[in-house]
Amino acid sequence: MRALVVGGTGMIGRRLVPLLQALGHDVVVAARNSGDVRVDLESHDSIEQMFRSVGPVDAVVAVAANGPLDEFDLLTVDDLQRNLRAKLFGQIDLVLTGRHHCADGASFILTSGIFADEAWPGVTGGAVISGGLHSFVLSASIELPRRMRINVISPTLVGETIEASDAHFPGMEPVLVDDLVEIYVDLVEGNMTGQIIRAYGSGHRASTHDARRRRH
Ligand SMILES: NC(=O)c1ccc[n+]([C@@H]2O[C@H](COP(=O)([O-])OP(=O)(O)OC[C@H]3O[C@@H](n4cnc5c(N)ncnc54)[C@H](OP(=O)(O)O)[C@@H]3O)[C@@H](O)[C@H]2O)c1
């Protein structure tokens, strides 16, 4: 399969790209400052240009762009709109624009995060982004043309080891990056659509496979 990995130079992307290549997929890496092709998820023109230059692909994986932390006491709607531009609207634009360029049956795999489901201080923007992505994927899954599929992976903190931690989120159990990238591969190669895969720690593999079984 030919797969476009947007954010393929980041922490998750750097592990996902070689795994896809080892499985025989032809991978095109896109990122803002490096990779095979440059794209800025904040710019519709840049997204359109990326799809034109890459040509048809069978999978688009988005592991790009972060919503910054915020301070609720000072938060304004303008801050929120800025926060949403790349990770929420940029990923949505990858689908709305990409559907015109991708191959029949192409698979879109977006990335959200645990704050859609869990309240933590300082992540109102992240919560809105991730909740919005989940709702978008449900709607798009029944609207996309030409047998295209769409799913979203919602990771908790991603770590190299189970002891990994983040000063901002004390006590949050990480998902191992090696386990996480296998979920992306399952979604590239499988036939699921309309799923929100919650990779929230040790139980996540079971929930992925349950979801896959339900669709078969
Ligand atoms: N790591 C975690 O613990 C974690 C947990 C939950 C969810 N997530 C989500 O998973 C995704 C990937 O995370 P990560 O840790 O791999 O991120 P990362 O290491 O910060 O890498 C981000 C990637 O996205 C690219 N990027 C950033 N802004 C972009 C933009 N405006 N347009 C196009 N590309 C852009 C970067 O390219 P350049 O370097 O060239 O800018 C890089 O390739 C993000 O959406 C993140 O929010 C991560």
Side-chain angles (χ1 to χ4, degrees):
M1 261 184 226
R2 189 155 190 262
L4 171 65
V5 180
V6 181
T9 61
M11 182 220 187
I12 298 170
R14 282 197 306 273
R15 297 296 268 275
L16 175 62
V17 168
L19 180 59
L20 287 168
Q21 288 168 330
L23 291 166
H25 300 296
D26 176 14
V27 181
V28 181
V29 172
R32 210 169 22 180
N33 301 305
S34 59
D36 303 315
V37 58
R38 305 291 156 88
V39 65
D40 182 354
L41 288 183
E42 294 196 17
S43 158
H44 170 75
D45 289 349
S46 169
I47 291 170
E48 178 78 45
Q49 180 55 40
M50 171 186 68
F51 280 113
R52 282 183 195 280
S53 71
V54 169
V57 292
D58 306 294
V60 177
V61 183
V63 279
N66 287 292
L69 296 175
D70 45 51
E71 267 187 73
F72 193 81
D73 286 351
L74 304 174
L75 190 63
T76 67
V77 78
D78 288 343
D79 297 333
L80 264 184
Q81 282 178 351
R82 268 192 300 277
N83 196 342
L84 268 47
R85 277 176 63 188
K87 187 167 169 177
L88 177 62
F89 291 116
Q91 290 195 85
I92 288 174
D93 202 4
L94 281 178
V95 179
L96 296 181
T97 302
R99 66 189 158 159
H100 302 301
H101 297 270
C102 289
D104 290 353
S107 171
F108 293 94
I109 301 151
L110 309 185
T111 303
S112 57
I114 193 170
F115 305 125
D117 296 320
E118 284 194 18
W120 285 74
V123 291
T124 301
V128 172
I129 289 168
S130 294
L133 286 169
H134 293 183
S135 298
F136 174 74
V137 163
L138 289 181
S139 290
S141 68
I142 64 161
E143 300 273 15
L144 279 170
R146 297 188 285 120
R147 294 176 290 100
M148 289 179 183
R149 302 185 292 115
I150 183 167
N151 297 282
V152 56
I153 300 177
S154 178
T156 184
L157 175 68
V158 183
E160 295 284 349
T161 68
I162 206 68
E163 289 81 33
S165 61
D166 185 300
H168 293 109
F169 311 114
M172 183 179 277
E173 181 191 0
V175 58
L176 293 176
V177 64
D178 285 338
D179 288 343
L180 181 66
V181 293
E182 284 187 31
I183 304 176
Y184 285 90
V185 171
D186 281 351
L187 293 177
V188 168
E189 296 182 340
N191 59 10
M192 282 198 289
T193 195
Q195 299 296 316
I196 300 161
I197 308 294
R198 293 176 166 84
Y200 293 169
S202 46
H204 74 274
R205 292 292 299 165
S207 66
T208 308
H209 291 136
D210 285 351
R212 183 181 252 190
R213 263 199 301 278
R214 276 201 299 278
R215 183 161 163 80
H216 277 304

Coordinates of all heavy atoms in Angstrom, one line a residue, residues 60-106:
V60 N -3.9 7.7 4.6 CA -3.4 9.0 5.1 C -3.4 8.9 6.7 O -4.4 8.7 7.3 CB -4.2 10.2 4.7 CG1 -3.7 11.5 5.3 CG2 -4.3 10.3 3.2
V61 N -2.2 8.9 7.3 CA -2.1 8.8 8.7 C -1.6 10.2 9.2 O -0.6 10.7 8.8 CB -1.0 7.8 9.1 CG1 -1.0 7.7 10.7 CG2 -1.3 6.4 8.5
A62 N -2.4 10.7 10.2 CA -2.0 12.0 10.7 C -1.5 11.8 12.2 O -2.2 11.4 13.1 CB -3.2 13.0 10.7
V63 N -0.2 12.1 12.4 CA 0.4 12.1 13.7 C 1.2 13.4 13.9 O 2.4 13.4 14.1 CB 1.3 10.8 13.9 CG1 0.5 9.6 14.3 CG2 2.2 10.6 12.7
A64 N 0.4 14.5 13.7 CA 1.0 15.8 13.6 C 0.3 16.8 14.4 O -0.9 16.7 14.5 CB 1.1 16.2 12.1
A65 N 1.1 17.8 14.9 CA 0.5 19.0 15.5 C 0.0 18.7 16.9 O -0.6 17.8 17.1 CB -0.5 19.6 14.6
N66 N 0.3 19.7 17.8 CA -0.1 19.5 19.2 C -0.9 20.7 19.6 O -0.7 21.9 19.1 CB 1.1 19.5 20.1 CG 1.8 18.1 20.0 OD1 1.2 17.1 20.4 ND2 3.0 18.1 19.4
G67 N -1.9 20.5 20.5 CA -2.6 21.7 21.1 C -1.8 22.1 22.3 O -1.5 21.2 23.2
P68 N -1.3 23.3 22.4 CA -0.6 23.8 23.6 C -1.4 23.8 24.9 O -2.7 23.8 24.8 CB -0.2 25.2 23.2 CG -1.1 25.6 22.2 CD -1.6 24.4 21.4
L69 N -0.7 23.7 26.0 CA -1.4 23.8 27.3 C -2.1 25.2 27.4 O -1.6 26.2 26.8 CB -0.5 23.6 28.4 CG 0.2 22.2 28.5 CD1 1.2 22.1 29.6 CD2 -0.9 21.1 28.7
D70 N -3.1 25.4 28.2 CA -3.7 26.7 28.4 C -4.0 26.9 29.8 O -3.9 26.0 30.7 CB -5.0 26.8 27.5 CG -5.9 25.6 27.6 OD1 -6.2 25.2 28.7 OD2 -6.3 25.1 26.6
E71 N -4.3 28.2 30.1 CA -4.7 28.6 31.5 C -6.1 29.0 31.5 O -6.4 30.1 30.9 CB -3.8 29.8 32.0 CG -2.6 29.3 32.7 CD -1.8 30.6 33.3 OE1 -2.4 31.2 34.2 OE2 -0.8 30.9 32.7
F72 N -7.0 28.2 32.1 CA -8.4 28.5 31.9 C -8.8 29.9 32.4 O -9.6 30.5 31.8 CB -9.2 27.4 32.7 CG -10.6 27.4 32.4 CD1 -11.1 26.7 31.2 CD2 -11.6 28.1 33.1 CE1 -12.4 26.7 30.9 CE2 -12.9 28.0 32.8 CZ -13.3 27.4 31.7
D73 N -8.2 30.4 33.5 CA -8.5 31.7 34.0 C -8.3 32.8 32.9 O -9.0 33.8 33.0 CB -7.6 32.1 35.2 CG -8.0 31.3 36.4 OD1 -9.1 30.6 36.3 OD2 -7.3 31.3 37.4
L74 N -7.3 32.6 32.0 CA -7.0 33.6 31.1 C -7.5 33.3 29.7 O -7.3 34.1 28.7 CB -5.5 33.8 31.0 CG -4.8 34.1 32.4 CD1 -3.3 34.1 32.2 CD2 -5.3 35.5 32.9
L75 N -8.0 32.1 29.5 CA -8.4 31.6 28.2 C -9.4 32.5 27.5 O -10.4 32.8 28.1 CB -8.9 30.2 28.3 CG -9.1 29.4 27.0 CD1 -7.8 29.1 26.3 CD2 -9.7 28.0 27.4
T76 N -9.2 32.8 26.2 CA -10.2 33.5 25.4 C -10.6 32.7 24.2 O -9.9 31.7 23.9 CB -9.6 34.8 24.9 OG1 -8.6 34.5 23.9 CG2 -9.0 35.7 26.0
V77 N -11.7 33.1 23.6 CA -12.1 32.3 22.4 C -11.1 32.4 21.3 O -11.0 31.5 20.5 CB -13.5 32.7 22.1 CG1 -13.6 34.0 21.3 CG2 -14.2 31.6 21.3
D78 N -10.4 33.5 21.2 CA -9.4 33.7 20.2 C -8.2 32.7 20.4 O -7.7 32.1 19.5 CB -8.8 35.1 20.2 CG -9.8 36.1 19.6 OD1 -10.7 35.6 19.0 OD2 -9.6 37.3 19.8
D79 N -7.8 32.5 21.7 CA -6.8 31.5 22.0 C -7.2 30.1 21.6 O -6.5 29.4 21.0 CB -6.5 31.4 23.5 CG -6.0 32.7 24.1 OD1 -5.4 33.4 23.4 OD2 -6.2 32.9 25.4
L80 N -8.5 29.8 21.9 CA -9.0 28.5 21.5 C -9.0 28.3 20.0 O -8.6 27.3 19.5 CB -10.4 28.3 22.0 CG -10.7 27.6 23.3 CD1 -12.1 27.5 23.6 CD2 -10.0 26.2 23.3
Q81 N -9.4 29.3 19.3 CA -9.5 29.2 17.8 C -8.1 29.0 17.2 O -7.9 28.1 16.4 CB -10.1 30.4 17.2 CG -11.6 30.4 17.3 CD -12.3 31.6 16.7 OE1 -11.6 32.6 16.4 NE2 -13.6 31.6 16.6
R82 N -7.1 29.7 17.8 CA -5.7 29.5 17.3 C -5.2 28.0 17.7 O -4.6 27.4 16.8 CB -4.7 30.4 18.1 CG -4.5 31.7 17.3 CD -3.3 32.5 17.9 NE -3.6 32.9 19.3 CZ -4.3 34.0 19.6 NH1 -4.8 34.7 18.7 NH2 -4.5 34.2 20.9
N83 N -5.6 27.6 18.9 CA -5.2 26.2 19.3 C -5.8 25.1 18.4 O -5.1 24.1 18.2 CB -5.7 26.1 20.8 CG -5.0 24.9 21.5 OD1 -4.5 24.0 20.9 ND2 -5.2 24.9 22.8
L84 N -7.0 25.4 17.9 CA -7.7 24.4 17.1 C -7.2 24.3 15.7 O -7.5 23.3 15.0 CB -9.2 24.7 17.1 CG -10.1 24.0 18.2 CD1 -9.5 24.2 19.6 CD2 -11.5 24.6 18.1
R85 N -6.5 25.3 15.2 CA -6.2 25.4 13.8 C -5.5 24.2 13.2 O -5.9 23.6 12.2 CB -5.5 26.7 13.4 CG -6.4 27.9 13.4 CD -5.7 29.1 13.1 NE -5.0 29.2 11.9 CZ -4.2 30.2 11.5 NH1 -4.0 31.2 12.4 NH2 -3.6 30.2 10.4
A86 N -4.4 23.8 13.8 CA -3.6 22.7 13.1 C -4.2 21.3 13.5 O -4.5 20.5 12.6 CB -2.2 22.8 13.6
K87 N -4.3 21.1 14.8 CA -4.7 19.7 15.2 C -6.1 19.3 14.9 O -6.4 18.2 14.5 CB -4.3 19.4 16.6 CG -4.5 17.9 17.0 CD -3.8 17.5 18.3 CE -4.3 16.1 18.7 NZ -3.7 15.6 19.9
L88 N -7.1 20.2 15.1 CA -8.5 19.9 14.8 C -8.8 20.2 13.3 O -9.0 19.3 12.5 CB -9.4 20.7 15.7 CG -10.9 20.5 15.4 CD1 -11.3 19.0 15.6 CD2 -11.8 21.4 16.3
F89 N -8.7 21.5 12.9 CA -9.1 21.8 11.6 C -8.1 21.3 10.5 O -8.5 20.9 9.4 CB -9.4 23.3 11.4 CG -10.6 23.7 12.2 CD1 -10.5 24.6 13.3 CD2 -11.9 23.3 11.9 CE1 -11.6 25.0 14.0 CE2 -13.0 23.6 12.6 CZ -12.9 24.5 13.7
G90 N -6.9 21.2 10.9 CA -5.9 20.7 10.0 C -6.1 19.2 9.7 O -6.1 18.8 8.5
Q91 N -6.4 18.5 10.7 CA -6.7 17.0 10.4 C -8.0 16.9 9.7 O -8.1 16.0 8.8 CB -6.7 16.2 11.7 CG -5.3 16.1 12.4 CD -5.3 15.0 13.5 OE1 -5.2 13.8 13.2 NE2 -5.5 15.4 14.7
I92 N -9.0 17.7 10.0 CA -10.3 17.6 9.3 C -10.0 18.0 7.8 O -10.5 17.3 6.9 CB -11.3 18.5 9.9 CG1 -11.8 17.9 11.3 CG2 -12.5 18.8 9.0 CD1 -12.7 18.8 12.1
D93 N -9.2 19.0 7.6 CA -8.9 19.4 6.2 C -8.1 18.3 5.4 O -8.3 18.2 4.2 CB -8.1 20.7 6.2 CG -8.3 21.5 4.9 OD1 -9.0 21.0 4.0 OD2 -7.6 22.5 4.8
L94 N -7.3 17.5 6.1 CA -6.7 16.4 5.5 C -7.7 15.4 4.9 O -7.5 14.9 3.8 CB -5.8 15.6 6.5 CG -4.4 16.2 6.8 CD1 -3.8 15.3 7.9 CD2 -3.5 16.3 5.6
V95 N -8.8 15.3 5.6 CA -9.9 14.4 5.1 C -10.7 15.0 4.0 O -10.9 14.5 2.9 CB -10.7 13.9 6.3 CG1 -11.8 13.0 5.8 CG2 -9.9 13.3 7.3
L96 N -11.1 16.3 4.3 CA -12.0 17.0 3.3 C -11.3 17.2 2.0 O -11.9 17.1 0.9 CB -12.5 18.3 3.9 CG -13.4 18.1 5.2 CD1 -13.9 19.5 5.7 CD2 -14.6 17.2 4.9
T97 N -10.0 17.5 2.1 CA -9.3 17.7 0.8 C -8.8 16.4 0.3 O -8.8 16.2 -0.9 CB -8.0 18.7 1.1 OG1 -8.6 19.9 1.6 CG2 -7.2 19.0 -0.2
G98 N -8.3 15.5 1.2 CA -7.7 14.3 0.7 C -8.7 13.4 0.0 O -8.3 12.6 -0.9
R99 N -10.0 13.5 0.3 CA -10.9 12.5 -0.3 C -11.0 12.7 -1.8 O -11.4 11.8 -2.5 CB -12.3 12.7 0.3 CG -12.9 14.1 0.0 CD -14.2 14.4 0.8 NE -14.3 15.8 0.8 CZ -15.5 16.4 1.0 NH1 -16.6 15.7 1.3 NH2 -15.5 17.7 1.0
H100 N -10.6 13.9 -2.3 CA -10.6 14.2 -3.7 C -9.4 13.7 -4.4 O -9.3 13.6 -5.7 CB -10.7 15.7 -4.0 CG -12.0 16.3 -3.4 ND1 -13.2 15.9 -3.7 CD2 -12.1 17.3 -2.4 CE1 -14.1 16.6 -3.0 NE2 -13.4 17.5 -2.2
H101 N -8.4 13.3 -3.7 CA -7.1 12.9 -4.3 C -6.7 11.4 -4.0 O -5.9 10.9 -4.7 CB -6.0 13.8 -3.7 CG -6.1 15.2 -4.0 ND1 -5.5 15.8 -5.1 CD2 -6.7 16.2 -3.3 CE1 -5.8 17.1 -5.1 NE2 -6.5 17.4 -4.1
C102 N -7.3 10.8 -3.0 CA -6.9 9.5 -2.5 C -7.5 8.4 -3.4 O -8.5 8.6 -4.1 CB -7.3 9.3 -1.1 SG -6.3 10.3 0.0
A103 N -6.9 7.2 -3.3 CA -7.4 6.1 -4.1 C -8.7 5.6 -3.5 O -9.1 5.8 -2.4 CB -6.4 4.9 -4.0
D104 N -9.5 4.8 -4.3 CA -10.7 4.2 -3.9 C -10.4 3.3 -2.6 O -9.3 2.7 -2.6 CB -11.3 3.2 -4.9 CG -11.8 4.0 -6.1 OD1 -11.9 5.2 -6.1 OD2 -12.2 3.3 -7.1
G105 N -11.3 3.4 -1.6 CA -11.1 2.6 -0.4 C -10.0 3.1 0.5 O -9.6 2.4 1.5
A106 N -9.5 4.3 0.3 CA -8.4 4.8 1.1 C -8.8 4.9 2.6 O -10.0 5.1 2.9 CB -8.0 6.2 0.6

